[in-house]
Amino acid sequence: DKTVSLRKDLSEMHEWITQAEEEYLERDFEYKTPDELQKAVEELKRAKEEALQKEVKVKLITDSVNNFIAKAPPAAHEALKKELNVLITSYQQLCSRLNGKWKTLEEVWACWRELLSYLDAENKWLNEIELKLKATENVQGGAEEISESLDSLERLMRHPEDNRNQIRELAQTLTDGGILDELINEKLEKFNTRWEELQQEAVRRQKSLEQSIQSAQETDKALRLIQESLAAIDKQLTAYTADRVDAAQVPQEAQ
């Protein structure tokens, strides 16, 4: 009987739709590791593609039902047409929901990758600060050399807050959804601790270098005064010598 065959096809398709909904849309997903998240994205992509491939079968069933209705007595029309409409609606909803969930998870995965990218960039900057702090630990030379070291450290510290703000926002977006929250919190705590420690150390180093510059400037000034004094005495002694003045004839300091 053609009606029985058509109802069987409709029933099988309904079963597949129900199974797909239970497997991909009604099951609770937990994403505690990047691998789990990536696997979920791939699974939903396959499910979405599989659902789209079923479109051919839905079309065949639709054509078969419509052909049967065109030839069958009116009594058989209404029930079959209703079942077909329910199937088409359920199928379209499944495709829409699968596609929506896949897109959402793709955005979540992209958000995670972006967070890692910003963390990597900021950690590279923190590495530069560490190297700079080591380089300025025992600066040798006068006020000019120390001032150059201070300037290079201050230039490095003039780092925009944009990346750190992005890290904060991306992390908040993910953890609000309960996605990779433990891992993200661990990474953020490590990053923020390191950031704060290096910021504090950089501020201390800046103050230390400023004090060293002041000390070096005072030393340079003292040395310059001594040199000027020695030059004046040398000039005076040279004049005494040229005039063949005896040491006993000149002031005590000249003697």
Side-chain angles (χ1 to χ4, degrees):
D1 185 88
K2 185 66 175 173
T3 308
V4 173
S5 175
L6 287 173
R7 283 208 163 95
K8 184 184 177 185
D9 290 342
L10 286 163
S11 177
E12 286 176 355
M13 196 62 205
H14 270 303
E15 283 178 16
W16 182 86
I17 290 171
T18 302
Q19 187 179 348
E21 285 175 341
E22 290 173 354
E23 180 66 22
Y24 299 108
L25 299 174
E26 294 172 10
R27 178 161 59 97
D28 289 332
F29 287 89
E30 281 195 4
Y31 313 112
K32 295 299 180 185
T33 67
D35 286 345
E36 287 175 356
L37 177 59
Q38 189 175 20
K39 185 180 176 183
V41 174
E42 291 167 357
E43 277 184 5
L44 274 166
K45 186 179 180 182
R46 284 194 298 270
K48 175 185 74 85
E49 290 169 351
E50 186 182 348
L52 288 174
Q53 288 166 6
K54 293 287 183 183
E55 186 177 3
V56 176
K57 188 170 183 180
V58 172
K59 191 175 185 310
L60 286 172
I61 293 172
T62 302
D63 290 343
S64 297
V65 170
N66 286 334
N67 288 335
F68 175 76
I69 287 172
K71 298 172 185 176
H77 290 190
E78 193 173 336
L80 267 177
K81 200 160 188 179
K82 187 177 179 182
E83 287 182 46
L84 178 63
N85 288 339
V86 169
L87 173 68
I88 292 171
T89 302
S90 299
Y91 173 72
Q92 289 173 344
Q93 285 178 346
L94 174 69
C95 289
S96 176
R97 289 177 68 195
L98 283 173
N99 190 54
K101 188 162 187 178
W102 170 68
K103 279 186 176 178
T104 299
L105 278 187
E106 274 240 306
E107 288 170 6
V108 169
W109 177 251
C111 188
W112 163 248
R113 299 299 304 170
E114 193 177 5
L115 173 62
L116 289 182
S117 174
Y118 280 115
L119 278 170
D120 183 57
E122 286 302 277
N123 276 312
K124 283 179 180 174
W125 171 64
L126 292 177
N127 290 342
E128 289 181 36
I129 292 178
E130 273 188 329
L131 290 173
K132 182 63 70 177
L133 288 173
K134 285 178 183 175
T136 58
E137 200 166 357
N138 293 301
V139 181
Q140 303 298 320
E144 189 175 343
E145 289 83 358
I146 300 170
S147 182
E148 285 175 4
S149 294
L150 177 61
D151 287 344
S152 66
L153 177 59
E154 287 179 339
R155 278 196 302 272
L156 188 58
M157 295 307 296
R158 286 194 289 272
H159 184 70
E161 282 279 316
D162 297 0
N163 284 3
R164 198 169 180 223
N165 291 335
Q166 284 284 53
I167 287 169
R168 196 179 298 113
E169 289 173 14
L170 290 166
Q172 191 69 50
T173 299
L174 290 166
T175 53
D176 281 350
I179 296 166
L180 305 175
D181 47 357
E182 290 179 11
L183 179 61
I184 289 170
N185 288 334
E186 182 184 323
K187 282 184 175 292
L188 251 63
E189 186 177 351
K190 185 178 178 182
F191 166 73
N192 287 328
T193 300
R194 188 181 181 216
W195 192 92
E196 293 291 346
E197 287 175 351
L198 286 173
Q199 285 285 326
Q200 290 172 10
E201 178 57 32
V203 169
R204 284 194 292 268
R205 186 60 48 81
Q206 284 172 309
K207 288 180 179 176
S208 173
L209 289 171
E210 286 168 359
Q211 290 171 354
S212 296
I213 290 170
Q214 188 176 354
S215 297
Q217 286 173 337
E218 288 172 358
T219 302
D220 288 346
K221 184 179 178 181
L223 285 171
R224 190 169 62 254
L225 290 172
I226 291 169
Q227 286 172 339
E228 288 171 358
S229 176
L230 288 172
I233 292 170
D234 183 61
K235 185 177 179 182
Q236 189 179 35
L237 290 175
T238 301
Y240 288 155
T241 305
D243 294 341
R244 297 182 179 277
V245 176
D246 187 84
Q249 296 175 297
V250 298
Q252 185 68 34
E253 66 273 13
Q255 292 180 28

